[in-house]
């Protein structure tokens, strides 16, 4: 059986982002990403700093550890990264989750398609805005979205600055039939504990809400905080 590069397995906790915000879930975080976002809050998945922590695991081994860590207190797993869509071997894990009656969520930037993405219950594609210093390949994004199951798909853009908001408007109107989420970015990445982080993040969230309220081009969107950062700042494993 093919193996998956795993950095973390933790939970149960709550999903802090996107369509399933607040959902009780376990996390499987994989290593590797094809992007290098300037504000990435999980750069350890690709910058080499955690290379000694990567474990090559089969789907069965991942499932066994999920049960060991989470017991009977979950029926939903979020596959996170990095970019898990780079990993063909996740097919075995998704098949196993379906066999066990486990619901799944995935977030990816839409730079790579895998057939197993059609089996994900809560699929979020999150194209990266200008503040990331990455430039999405929009024709490739079109191809990835076309191959996904639209009943399970939503789009999300993280907002740090005005150029990100303009980018989000473009993405929203490029795919107007797909549920669209705006999420405030977290610029406070100095460590696990940031003074007054909740107050600071709520202020940024309020500013984004005000911006959306004044935009006639954003009448059909959802505006979200990063719920986990409001609760736990940048602490890993929650």
């Amino acid at each position: 059986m093919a193996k998956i590069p795993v950095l973390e397995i933790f939970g149960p906790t709550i999903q802090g982002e996107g369509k399933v915000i607040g959902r009780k879930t376990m996390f499987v975080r994989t290593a590797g990403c094809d992007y290098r976002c300037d504000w990435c809050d999980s750069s350890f998945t690709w910058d080499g700093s955690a290379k000694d922590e990567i474990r090559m695991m089969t789907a069965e081994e991942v499932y066994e550890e999920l049960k060991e860590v989470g017991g009977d207190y979950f029926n939903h797993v979020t596959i996170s990264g990095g970019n898990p869509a780079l990993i063909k071997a996740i097919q075995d894990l998704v098949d196993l989750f379906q066999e066990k009656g486990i619901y799944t969520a995935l977030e990816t930037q839409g730079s790579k398609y895998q057939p197993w993405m059609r089996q994900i219950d809560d699929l979020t594609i999150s194209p990266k805005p200008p503040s990331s210093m990455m430039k999405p390949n929009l024709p490739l994004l079109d191809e990835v979205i076309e191959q996904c199951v639209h009943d399970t798909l939503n789009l999300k853009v993280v907002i740090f600055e005005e150029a990100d908001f303009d980018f989000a408007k473009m993405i929203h109107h490029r795919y107007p039939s797909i549920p669209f989420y705006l999420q405030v970015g977290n610029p406070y990445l100095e460590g696990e504990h940031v003074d007054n982080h909740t107050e600071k993040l709520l202020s940024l969230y309020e500013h984004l809400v005000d911006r959306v309220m004044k935009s006639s081009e954003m009448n059909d969107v959802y505006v979200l905080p990063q719920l986990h950062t409001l609760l736990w700042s940048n602490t890993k494993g929650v």
Side-chain angles (χ1 to χ4, degrees), residues 110-157:
S111 60
K112 177 74 174 178
Y113 172 77
Q114 296 285 354
W116 54 260
M117 288 164 61
R118 294 180 61 86
Q119 297 168 251
I120 297 294
D121 297 292
D122 301 306
L123 175 60
T124 298
I125 292 181
S126 182
K128 303 311 177 190
S131 64
S132 71
M133 305 304 291
M134 297 289 105
K135 187 175 177 61
N137 181 330
L138 293 180
L140 177 59
L141 180 62
D142 291 341
E143 293 177 12
V144 171
I145 287 176
E146 184 177 353
Q147 294 178 87
C148 293
V149 178
H150 283 211
D151 286 349
T152 66
L153 176 63
N154 70 95
L155 290 167
K156 187 191 80 178
V157 173

mmCIF file of all heavy atoms in Angstrom, residues 110-157:
data_model
loop_
_atom_site.group_PDB
_atom_site.id
_atom_site.type_symbol
_atom_site.label_atom_id
_atom_site.label_comp_id
_atom_site.label_asym_id
_atom_site.label_seq_id
_atom_site.Cartn_x
_atom_site.Cartn_y
_atom_site.Cartn_z
ATOM 1 N N GLY A 110 -6.025 24.688 -5.378
ATOM 2 C CA GLY A 110 -6.552 24.469 -6.725
ATOM 3 C C GLY A 110 -5.480 24.410 -7.795
ATOM 4 O O GLY A 110 -5.759 24.616 -8.972
ATOM 5 N N SER A 111 -4.256 24.079 -7.395
ATOM 6 C CA SER A 111 -3.146 23.987 -8.338
ATOM 7 C C SER A 111 -2.915 22.565 -8.844
ATOM 8 O O SER A 111 -2.086 22.346 -9.733
ATOM 9 C CB SER A 111 -1.860 24.502 -7.680
ATOM 10 O OG SER A 111 -1.551 23.739 -6.524
ATOM 11 N N LYS A 112 -3.633 21.611 -8.275
ATOM 12 C CA LYS A 112 -3.443 20.200 -8.612
ATOM 13 C C LYS A 112 -4.751 19.454 -8.377
ATOM 14 O O LYS A 112 -5.436 19.689 -7.376
ATOM 15 C CB LYS A 112 -2.330 19.610 -7.743
ATOM 16 C CG LYS A 112 -2.070 18.123 -7.939
ATOM 17 C CD LYS A 112 -1.343 17.835 -9.229
ATOM 18 C CE LYS A 112 -0.955 16.356 -9.334
ATOM 19 N NZ LYS A 112 -0.281 16.036 -10.606
ATOM 20 N N TYR A 113 -5.086 18.553 -9.293
ATOM 21 C CA TYR A 113 -6.298 17.735 -9.153
ATOM 22 C C TYR A 113 -5.903 16.284 -8.910
ATOM 23 O O TYR A 113 -4.963 15.763 -9.514
ATOM 24 C CB TYR A 113 -7.157 17.820 -10.407
ATOM 25 C CG TYR A 113 -8.316 16.857 -10.400
ATOM 26 C CD1 TYR A 113 -9.451 17.122 -9.637
ATOM 27 C CD2 TYR A 113 -8.270 15.667 -11.125
ATOM 28 C CE1 TYR A 113 -10.518 16.227 -9.604
ATOM 29 C CE2 TYR A 113 -9.326 14.769 -11.102
ATOM 30 C CZ TYR A 113 -10.437 15.052 -10.332
ATOM 31 O OH TYR A 113 -11.486 14.161 -10.308
ATOM 32 N N GLN A 114 -6.630 15.661 -7.998
ATOM 33 C CA GLN A 114 -6.533 14.219 -7.783
ATOM 34 C C GLN A 114 -7.936 13.629 -7.856
ATOM 35 O O GLN A 114 -8.887 14.220 -7.335
ATOM 36 C CB GLN A 114 -5.928 13.904 -6.408
ATOM 37 C CG GLN A 114 -4.504 14.362 -6.199
ATOM 38 C CD GLN A 114 -3.476 13.506 -6.922
ATOM 39 O OE1 GLN A 114 -3.812 12.474 -7.514
ATOM 40 N NE2 GLN A 114 -2.226 13.928 -6.885
ATOM 41 N N PRO A 115 -8.114 12.460 -8.474
ATOM 42 C CA PRO A 115 -9.457 11.860 -8.567
ATOM 43 C C PRO A 115 -10.130 11.672 -7.211
ATOM 44 O O PRO A 115 -11.361 11.770 -7.110
ATOM 45 C CB PRO A 115 -9.187 10.510 -9.258
ATOM 46 C CG PRO A 115 -7.961 10.750 -10.073
ATOM 47 C CD PRO A 115 -7.117 11.691 -9.247
ATOM 48 N N TRP A 116 -9.345 11.419 -6.153
ATOM 49 C CA TRP A 116 -9.951 11.206 -4.834
ATOM 50 C C TRP A 116 -10.620 12.463 -4.285
ATOM 51 O O TRP A 116 -11.428 12.377 -3.346
ATOM 52 C CB TRP A 116 -8.935 10.666 -3.832
ATOM 53 C CG TRP A 116 -7.668 11.441 -3.647
ATOM 54 C CD1 TRP A 116 -6.452 11.162 -4.193
ATOM 55 C CD2 TRP A 116 -7.477 12.617 -2.846
ATOM 56 N NE1 TRP A 116 -5.513 12.092 -3.792
ATOM 57 C CE2 TRP A 116 -6.120 12.994 -2.966
ATOM 58 C CE3 TRP A 116 -8.319 13.386 -2.043
ATOM 59 C CZ2 TRP A 116 -5.580 14.097 -2.327
ATOM 60 C CZ3 TRP A 116 -7.796 14.493 -1.389
ATOM 61 C CH2 TRP A 116 -6.451 14.848 -1.530
ATOM 62 N N MET A 117 -10.318 13.636 -4.868
ATOM 63 C CA MET A 117 -10.972 14.864 -4.413
ATOM 64 C C MET A 117 -12.482 14.822 -4.661
ATOM 65 O O MET A 117 -13.253 15.504 -3.975
ATOM 66 C CB MET A 117 -10.352 16.081 -5.096
ATOM 67 C CG MET A 117 -8.944 16.389 -4.587
ATOM 68 S SD MET A 117 -7.970 17.511 -5.640
ATOM 69 C CE MET A 117 -8.983 18.983 -5.622
ATOM 70 N N ARG A 118 -12.919 14.011 -5.607
ATOM 71 C CA ARG A 118 -14.359 13.870 -5.883
ATOM 72 C C ARG A 118 -15.080 13.114 -4.769
ATOM 73 O O ARG A 118 -16.309 13.129 -4.695
ATOM 74 C CB ARG A 118 -14.577 13.155 -7.221
ATOM 75 C CG ARG A 118 -14.096 13.954 -8.426
ATOM 76 C CD ARG A 118 -14.341 13.204 -9.728
ATOM 77 N NE ARG A 118 -15.754 12.939 -9.938
ATOM 78 C CZ ARG A 118 -16.622 13.780 -10.504
ATOM 79 N NH1 ARG A 118 -16.207 14.971 -10.915
ATOM 80 N NH2 ARG A 118 -17.882 13.449 -10.659
ATOM 81 N N GLN A 119 -14.328 12.440 -3.895
ATOM 82 C CA GLN A 119 -14.920 11.693 -2.787
ATOM 83 C C GLN A 119 -14.955 12.500 -1.486
ATOM 84 O O GLN A 119 -15.524 12.031 -0.502
ATOM 85 C CB GLN A 119 -14.129 10.403 -2.562
ATOM 86 C CG GLN A 119 -14.166 9.433 -3.733
ATOM 87 C CD GLN A 119 -13.154 8.321 -3.587
ATOM 88 O OE1 GLN A 119 -12.152 8.250 -4.295
ATOM 89 N NE2 GLN A 119 -13.403 7.422 -2.633
ATOM 90 N N ILE A 120 -14.345 13.682 -1.482
ATOM 91 C CA ILE A 120 -14.312 14.507 -0.272
ATOM 92 C C ILE A 120 -15.693 15.106 -0.015
ATOM 93 O O ILE A 120 -16.349 15.619 -0.926
ATOM 94 C CB ILE A 120 -13.255 15.627 -0.422
ATOM 95 C CG1 ILE A 120 -11.858 15.030 -0.573
ATOM 96 C CG2 ILE A 120 -13.320 16.593 0.756
ATOM 97 C CD1 ILE A 120 -11.335 14.306 0.639
ATOM 98 N N ASP A 121 -16.139 15.057 1.232
ATOM 99 C CA ASP A 121 -17.478 15.564 1.564
ATOM 100 C C ASP A 121 -17.527 17.090 1.625
ATOM 101 O O ASP A 121 -18.538 17.690 1.253
ATOM 102 C CB ASP A 121 -17.920 14.987 2.921
ATOM 103 C CG ASP A 121 -18.053 13.482 2.887
ATOM 104 O OD1 ASP A 121 -18.962 12.991 2.195
ATOM 105 O OD2 ASP A 121 -17.235 12.796 3.541
ATOM 106 N N ASP A 122 -16.473 17.715 2.129
ATOM 107 C CA ASP A 122 -16.415 19.175 2.263
ATOM 108 C C ASP A 122 -15.120 19.656 1.613
ATOM 109 O O ASP A 122 -14.065 19.690 2.255
ATOM 110 C CB ASP A 122 -16.448 19.592 3.741
ATOM 111 C CG ASP A 122 -17.708 19.113 4.448
ATOM 112 O OD1 ASP A 122 -18.800 19.406 3.953
ATOM 113 O OD2 ASP A 122 -17.574 18.438 5.483
ATOM 114 N N LEU A 123 -15.206 20.032 0.343
ATOM 115 C CA LEU A 123 -14.025 20.391 -0.434
ATOM 116 C C LEU A 123 -13.931 21.906 -0.589
ATOM 117 O O LEU A 123 -14.824 22.530 -1.164
ATOM 118 C CB LEU A 123 -14.075 19.726 -1.805
ATOM 119 C CG LEU A 123 -12.970 20.099 -2.796
ATOM 120 C CD1 LEU A 123 -11.597 19.747 -2.237
ATOM 121 C CD2 LEU A 123 -13.206 19.421 -4.140
ATOM 122 N N THR A 124 -12.856 22.482 -0.068
ATOM 123 C CA THR A 124 -12.614 23.917 -0.179
ATOM 124 C C THR A 124 -11.425 24.166 -1.093
ATOM 125 O O THR A 124 -10.333 23.639 -0.860
ATOM 126 C CB THR A 124 -12.314 24.538 1.201
ATOM 127 O OG1 THR A 124 -13.451 24.372 2.046
ATOM 128 C CG2 THR A 124 -12.004 26.027 1.065
ATOM 129 N N ILE A 125 -11.654 24.955 -2.130
ATOM 130 C CA ILE A 125 -10.561 25.431 -2.975
ATOM 131 C C ILE A 125 -10.326 26.893 -2.625
ATOM 132 O O ILE A 125 -11.247 27.703 -2.652
ATOM 133 C CB ILE A 125 -10.869 25.242 -4.465
ATOM 134 C CG1 ILE A 125 -10.887 23.743 -4.801
ATOM 135 C CG2 ILE A 125 -9.857 25.977 -5.329
ATOM 136 C CD1 ILE A 125 -11.148 23.423 -6.256
ATOM 137 N N SER A 126 -9.079 27.193 -2.265
ATOM 138 C CA SER A 126 -8.741 28.517 -1.757
ATOM 139 C C SER A 126 -7.612 29.133 -2.589
ATOM 140 O O SER A 126 -6.430 29.025 -2.230
ATOM 141 C CB SER A 126 -8.320 28.417 -0.281
ATOM 142 O OG SER A 126 -8.038 29.688 0.254
ATOM 143 N N PRO A 127 -7.947 29.781 -3.707
ATOM 144 C CA PRO A 127 -6.908 30.438 -4.523
ATOM 145 C C PRO A 127 -6.204 31.514 -3.700
ATOM 146 O O PRO A 127 -6.840 32.237 -2.938
ATOM 147 C CB PRO A 127 -7.711 31.054 -5.679
ATOM 148 C CG PRO A 127 -9.021 30.334 -5.693
ATOM 149 C CD PRO A 127 -9.294 29.967 -4.270
ATOM 150 N N LYS A 128 -4.903 31.603 -3.871
ATOM 151 C CA LYS A 128 -4.120 32.509 -3.031
ATOM 152 C C LYS A 128 -4.076 33.914 -3.624
ATOM 153 O O LYS A 128 -3.777 34.093 -4.804
ATOM 154 C CB LYS A 128 -2.703 31.970 -2.842
ATOM 155 C CG LYS A 128 -2.669 30.569 -2.239
ATOM 156 C CD LYS A 128 -3.548 30.444 -0.987
ATOM 157 C CE LYS A 128 -3.569 29.025 -0.439
ATOM 158 N NZ LYS A 128 -4.589 28.836 0.609
ATOM 159 N N PRO A 129 -4.350 34.936 -2.779
ATOM 160 C CA PRO A 129 -4.442 36.327 -3.240
ATOM 161 C C PRO A 129 -3.059 36.972 -3.372
ATOM 162 O O PRO A 129 -2.043 36.373 -3.009
ATOM 163 C CB PRO A 129 -5.250 36.981 -2.119
ATOM 164 C CG PRO A 129 -4.827 36.235 -0.895
ATOM 165 C CD PRO A 129 -4.637 34.807 -1.339
ATOM 166 N N PRO A 130 -3.005 38.213 -3.861
ATOM 167 C CA PRO A 130 -1.712 38.877 -4.095
ATOM 168 C C PRO A 130 -0.803 38.958 -2.877
ATOM 169 O O PRO A 130 0.424 38.865 -3.008
ATOM 170 C CB PRO A 130 -2.126 40.268 -4.575
ATOM 171 C CG PRO A 130 -3.442 40.061 -5.233
ATOM 172 C CD PRO A 130 -4.125 39.001 -4.419
ATOM 173 N N SER A 131 -1.363 39.131 -1.679
ATOM 174 C CA SER A 131 -0.523 39.253 -0.482
ATOM 175 C C SER A 131 0.299 38.005 -0.202
ATOM 176 O O SER A 131 1.295 38.054 0.516
ATOM 177 C CB SER A 131 -1.379 39.586 0.742
ATOM 178 O OG SER A 131 -2.274 38.520 1.016
ATOM 179 N N SER A 132 -0.094 36.875 -0.769
ATOM 180 C CA SER A 132 0.659 35.630 -0.590
ATOM 181 C C SER A 132 1.967 35.630 -1.370
ATOM 182 O O SER A 132 2.834 34.799 -1.123
ATOM 183 C CB SER A 132 -0.186 34.430 -1.023
ATOM 184 O OG SER A 132 -0.334 34.412 -2.438
ATOM 185 N N MET A 133 2.072 36.532 -2.362
ATOM 186 C CA MET A 133 3.196 36.602 -3.292
ATOM 187 C C MET A 133 3.224 35.397 -4.238
ATOM 188 O O MET A 133 4.239 35.117 -4.884
ATOM 189 C CB MET A 133 4.546 36.726 -2.554
ATOM 190 C CG MET A 133 4.614 37.898 -1.589
ATOM 191 S SD MET A 133 4.244 39.496 -2.391
ATOM 192 C CE MET A 133 5.675 39.693 -3.442
ATOM 193 N N MET A 134 2.098 34.713 -4.345
ATOM 194 C CA MET A 134 1.926 33.638 -5.311
ATOM 195 C C MET A 134 0.973 34.116 -6.410
ATOM 196 O O MET A 134 0.102 34.952 -6.156
ATOM 197 C CB MET A 134 1.354 32.384 -4.642
ATOM 198 C CG MET A 134 2.247 31.764 -3.577
ATOM 199 S SD MET A 134 3.732 30.964 -4.235
ATOM 200 C CE MET A 134 4.985 32.162 -3.805
ATOM 201 N N LYS A 135 1.109 33.571 -7.596
ATOM 202 C CA LYS A 135 0.246 33.952 -8.718
ATOM 203 C C LYS A 135 -0.486 32.708 -9.218
ATOM 204 O O LYS A 135 0.108 31.857 -9.892
ATOM 205 C CB LYS A 135 1.062 34.566 -9.850
ATOM 206 C CG LYS A 135 0.200 35.143 -10.980
ATOM 207 C CD LYS A 135 1.060 35.842 -12.014
ATOM 208 C CE LYS A 135 0.235 36.359 -13.174
ATOM 209 N NZ LYS A 135 -0.773 37.350 -12.769
ATOM 210 N N PRO A 136 -1.779 32.560 -8.885
ATOM 211 C CA PRO A 136 -2.525 31.378 -9.315
ATOM 212 C C PRO A 136 -2.593 31.264 -10.836
ATOM 213 O O PRO A 136 -2.702 32.274 -11.547
ATOM 214 C CB PRO A 136 -3.922 31.609 -8.726
ATOM 215 C CG PRO A 136 -3.711 32.567 -7.607
ATOM 216 C CD PRO A 136 -2.579 33.448 -8.035
ATOM 217 N N ASN A 137 -2.533 30.043 -11.315
ATOM 218 C CA ASN A 137 -2.722 29.737 -12.733
ATOM 219 C C ASN A 137 -4.225 29.562 -12.961
ATOM 220 O O ASN A 137 -4.782 28.501 -12.684
ATOM 221 C CB ASN A 137 -1.948 28.465 -13.081
ATOM 222 C CG ASN A 137 -2.064 28.084 -14.544
ATOM 223 O OD1 ASN A 137 -3.070 28.369 -15.200
ATOM 224 N ND2 ASN A 137 -1.038 27.416 -15.055
ATOM 225 N N LEU A 138 -4.892 30.605 -13.440
ATOM 226 C CA LEU A 138 -6.355 30.575 -13.527
ATOM 227 C C LEU A 138 -6.875 29.541 -14.522
ATOM 228 O O LEU A 138 -7.880 28.868 -14.227
ATOM 229 C CB LEU A 138 -6.885 31.966 -13.840
ATOM 230 C CG LEU A 138 -6.672 33.009 -12.728
ATOM 231 C CD1 LEU A 138 -7.238 34.363 -13.151
ATOM 232 C CD2 LEU A 138 -7.296 32.567 -11.419
ATOM 233 N N PRO A 139 -6.267 29.354 -15.693
ATOM 234 C CA PRO A 139 -6.737 28.273 -16.568
ATOM 235 C C PRO A 139 -6.633 26.897 -15.906
ATOM 236 O O PRO A 139 -7.533 26.057 -16.070
ATOM 237 C CB PRO A 139 -5.822 28.386 -17.794
ATOM 238 C CG PRO A 139 -5.431 29.827 -17.840
ATOM 239 C CD PRO A 139 -5.268 30.208 -16.393
ATOM 240 N N LEU A 140 -5.558 26.668 -15.143
ATOM 241 C CA LEU A 140 -5.440 25.404 -14.417
ATOM 242 C C LEU A 140 -6.492 25.307 -13.330
ATOM 243 O O LEU A 140 -7.095 24.245 -13.115
ATOM 244 C CB LEU A 140 -4.038 25.282 -13.811
ATOM 245 C CG LEU A 140 -3.772 24.039 -12.956
ATOM 246 C CD1 LEU A 140 -3.995 22.766 -13.765
ATOM 247 C CD2 LEU A 140 -2.346 24.078 -12.392
ATOM 248 N N LEU A 141 -6.741 26.418 -12.631
ATOM 249 C CA LEU A 141 -7.796 26.445 -11.616
ATOM 250 C C LEU A 141 -9.146 26.104 -12.239
ATOM 251 O O LEU A 141 -9.938 25.347 -11.653
ATOM 252 C CB LEU A 141 -7.840 27.819 -10.948
ATOM 253 C CG LEU A 141 -8.887 28.036 -9.862
ATOM 254 C CD1 LEU A 141 -8.674 27.095 -8.685
ATOM 255 C CD2 LEU A 141 -8.882 29.489 -9.394
ATOM 256 N N ASP A 142 -9.420 26.627 -13.424
ATOM 257 C CA ASP A 142 -10.654 26.293 -14.143
ATOM 258 C C ASP A 142 -10.770 24.787 -14.349
ATOM 259 O O ASP A 142 -11.838 24.191 -14.135
ATOM 260 C CB ASP A 142 -10.684 26.968 -15.519
ATOM 261 C CG ASP A 142 -10.829 28.484 -15.453
ATOM 262 O OD1 ASP A 142 -11.266 29.004 -14.410
ATOM 263 O OD2 ASP A 142 -10.517 29.138 -16.467
ATOM 264 N N GLU A 143 -9.663 24.169 -14.756
ATOM 265 C CA GLU A 143 -9.670 22.728 -15.030
ATOM 266 C C GLU A 143 -9.907 21.923 -13.760
ATOM 267 O O GLU A 143 -10.662 20.939 -13.769
ATOM 268 C CB GLU A 143 -8.337 22.315 -15.664
ATOM 269 C CG GLU A 143 -8.112 22.877 -17.058
ATOM 270 C CD GLU A 143 -6.744 22.491 -17.605
ATOM 271 O OE1 GLU A 143 -6.096 21.604 -16.996
ATOM 272 O OE2 GLU A 143 -6.330 23.078 -18.617
ATOM 273 N N VAL A 144 -9.265 22.335 -12.673
ATOM 274 C CA VAL A 144 -9.434 21.619 -11.403
ATOM 275 C C VAL A 144 -10.886 21.715 -10.938
ATOM 276 O O VAL A 144 -11.504 20.712 -10.561
ATOM 277 C CB VAL A 144 -8.475 22.183 -10.336
ATOM 278 C CG1 VAL A 144 -8.804 21.609 -8.961
ATOM 279 C CG2 VAL A 144 -7.027 21.881 -10.702
ATOM 280 N N ILE A 145 -11.435 22.925 -10.962
ATOM 281 C CA ILE A 145 -12.809 23.122 -10.505
ATOM 282 C C ILE A 145 -13.789 22.340 -11.372
ATOM 283 O O ILE A 145 -14.743 21.738 -10.867
ATOM 284 C CB ILE A 145 -13.142 24.627 -10.491
ATOM 285 C CG1 ILE A 145 -12.421 25.303 -9.308
ATOM 286 C CG2 ILE A 145 -14.652 24.866 -10.408
ATOM 287 C CD1 ILE A 145 -12.593 26.799 -9.248
ATOM 288 N N GLU A 146 -13.540 22.306 -12.665
ATOM 289 C CA GLU A 146 -14.434 21.589 -13.573
ATOM 290 C C GLU A 146 -14.508 20.104 -13.243
ATOM 291 O O GLU A 146 -15.554 19.465 -13.411
ATOM 292 C CB GLU A 146 -13.956 21.785 -15.012
ATOM 293 C CG GLU A 146 -14.865 21.153 -16.058
ATOM 294 C CD GLU A 146 -14.394 21.421 -17.478
ATOM 295 O OE1 GLU A 146 -13.447 22.197 -17.663
ATOM 296 O OE2 GLU A 146 -14.989 20.833 -18.411
ATOM 297 N N GLN A 147 -13.416 19.542 -12.736
ATOM 298 C CA GLN A 147 -13.373 18.105 -12.459
ATOM 299 C C GLN A 147 -13.922 17.741 -11.079
ATOM 300 O O GLN A 147 -14.130 16.557 -10.799
ATOM 301 C CB GLN A 147 -11.918 17.611 -12.572
ATOM 302 C CG GLN A 147 -11.365 17.707 -13.975
ATOM 303 C CD GLN A 147 -9.919 17.270 -14.044
ATOM 304 O OE1 GLN A 147 -9.611 16.072 -14.203
ATOM 305 N NE2 GLN A 147 -9.004 18.215 -13.897
ATOM 306 N N CYS A 148 -14.147 18.734 -10.237
ATOM 307 C CA CYS A 148 -14.642 18.466 -8.883
ATOM 308 C C CYS A 148 -16.161 18.319 -8.866
ATOM 309 O O CYS A 148 -16.854 18.738 -9.796
ATOM 310 C CB CYS A 148 -14.222 19.589 -7.936
ATOM 311 S SG CYS A 148 -12.440 19.665 -7.666
ATOM 312 N N VAL A 149 -16.670 17.717 -7.797
ATOM 313 C CA VAL A 149 -18.113 17.579 -7.604
ATOM 314 C C VAL A 149 -18.632 18.876 -6.984
ATOM 315 O O VAL A 149 -18.306 19.195 -5.833
ATOM 316 C CB VAL A 149 -18.434 16.380 -6.683
ATOM 317 C CG1 VAL A 149 -19.946 16.291 -6.452
ATOM 318 C CG2 VAL A 149 -17.900 15.090 -7.292
ATOM 319 N N HIS A 150 -19.431 19.610 -7.734
ATOM 320 C CA HIS A 150 -19.795 20.948 -7.285
ATOM 321 C C HIS A 150 -20.739 20.942 -6.087
ATOM 322 O O HIS A 150 -20.813 21.939 -5.358
ATOM 323 C CB HIS A 150 -20.396 21.749 -8.449
ATOM 324 C CG HIS A 150 -19.350 22.242 -9.401
ATOM 325 N ND1 HIS A 150 -19.467 23.405 -10.119
ATOM 326 C CD2 HIS A 150 -18.127 21.744 -9.736
ATOM 327 C CE1 HIS A 150 -18.392 23.598 -10.855
ATOM 328 N NE2 HIS A 150 -17.573 22.596 -10.648
ATOM 329 N N ASP A 151 -21.427 19.844 -5.845
ATOM 330 C CA ASP A 151 -22.296 19.782 -4.664
ATOM 331 C C ASP A 151 -21.498 19.795 -3.362
ATOM 332 O O ASP A 151 -22.026 20.144 -2.309
ATOM 333 C CB ASP A 151 -23.160 18.518 -4.707
ATOM 334 C CG ASP A 151 -24.278 18.619 -5.728
ATOM 335 O OD1 ASP A 151 -24.516 19.724 -6.247
ATOM 336 O OD2 ASP A 151 -24.906 17.586 -6.019
ATOM 337 N N THR A 152 -20.238 19.409 -3.417
ATOM 338 C CA THR A 152 -19.404 19.375 -2.216
ATOM 339 C C THR A 152 -18.406 20.520 -2.175
ATOM 340 O O THR A 152 -17.663 20.669 -1.199
ATOM 341 C CB THR A 152 -18.616 18.050 -2.136
ATOM 342 O OG1 THR A 152 -17.668 17.990 -3.218
ATOM 343 C CG2 THR A 152 -19.550 16.857 -2.215
ATOM 344 N N LEU A 153 -18.368 21.356 -3.209
ATOM 345 C CA LEU A 153 -17.301 22.335 -3.404
ATOM 346 C C LEU A 153 -17.691 23.721 -2.917
ATOM 347 O O LEU A 153 -18.821 24.168 -3.103
ATOM 348 C CB LEU A 153 -16.958 22.401 -4.897
ATOM 349 C CG LEU A 153 -15.929 23.438 -5.348
ATOM 350 C CD1 LEU A 153 -14.567 23.167 -4.721
ATOM 351 C CD2 LEU A 153 -15.823 23.439 -6.876
ATOM 352 N N ASN A 154 -16.735 24.404 -2.297
ATOM 353 C CA ASN A 154 -16.878 25.831 -2.021
ATOM 354 C C ASN A 154 -15.546 26.509 -2.277
ATOM 355 O O ASN A 154 -14.492 25.866 -2.322
ATOM 356 C CB ASN A 154 -17.372 26.087 -0.590
ATOM 357 C CG ASN A 154 -16.335 25.756 0.452
ATOM 358 O OD1 ASN A 154 -15.587 26.615 0.906
ATOM 359 N ND2 ASN A 154 -16.270 24.482 0.837
ATOM 360 N N LEU A 155 -15.593 27.823 -2.465
ATOM 361 C CA LEU A 155 -14.399 28.621 -2.695
ATOM 362 C C LEU A 155 -14.161 29.552 -1.513
ATOM 363 O O LEU A 155 -15.112 30.049 -0.911
ATOM 364 C CB LEU A 155 -14.541 29.455 -3.969
ATOM 365 C CG LEU A 155 -14.523 28.685 -5.285
ATOM 366 C CD1 LEU A 155 -14.994 29.580 -6.417
ATOM 367 C CD2 LEU A 155 -13.132 28.145 -5.585
ATOM 368 N N LYS A 156 -12.890 29.791 -1.209
ATOM 369 C CA LYS A 156 -12.542 30.673 -0.096
ATOM 370 C C LYS A 156 -11.311 31.487 -0.470
ATOM 371 O O LYS A 156 -10.356 30.947 -1.048
ATOM 372 C CB LYS A 156 -12.245 29.862 1.161
ATOM 373 C CG LYS A 156 -12.048 30.702 2.411
ATOM 374 C CD LYS A 156 -11.507 29.862 3.554
ATOM 375 C CE LYS A 156 -10.010 29.653 3.409
ATOM 376 N NZ LYS A 156 -9.432 28.880 4.536
ATOM 377 N N VAL A 157 -11.348 32.782 -0.149
ATOM 378 C CA VAL A 157 -10.168 33.632 -0.327
ATOM 379 C C VAL A 157 -9.871 34.320 0.999
ATOM 380 O O VAL A 157 -10.773 34.866 1.645
ATOM 381 C CB VAL A 157 -10.376 34.676 -1.443
ATOM 382 C CG1 VAL A 157 -9.199 35.654 -1.492
ATOM 383 C CG2 VAL A 157 -10.542 33.986 -2.797
#
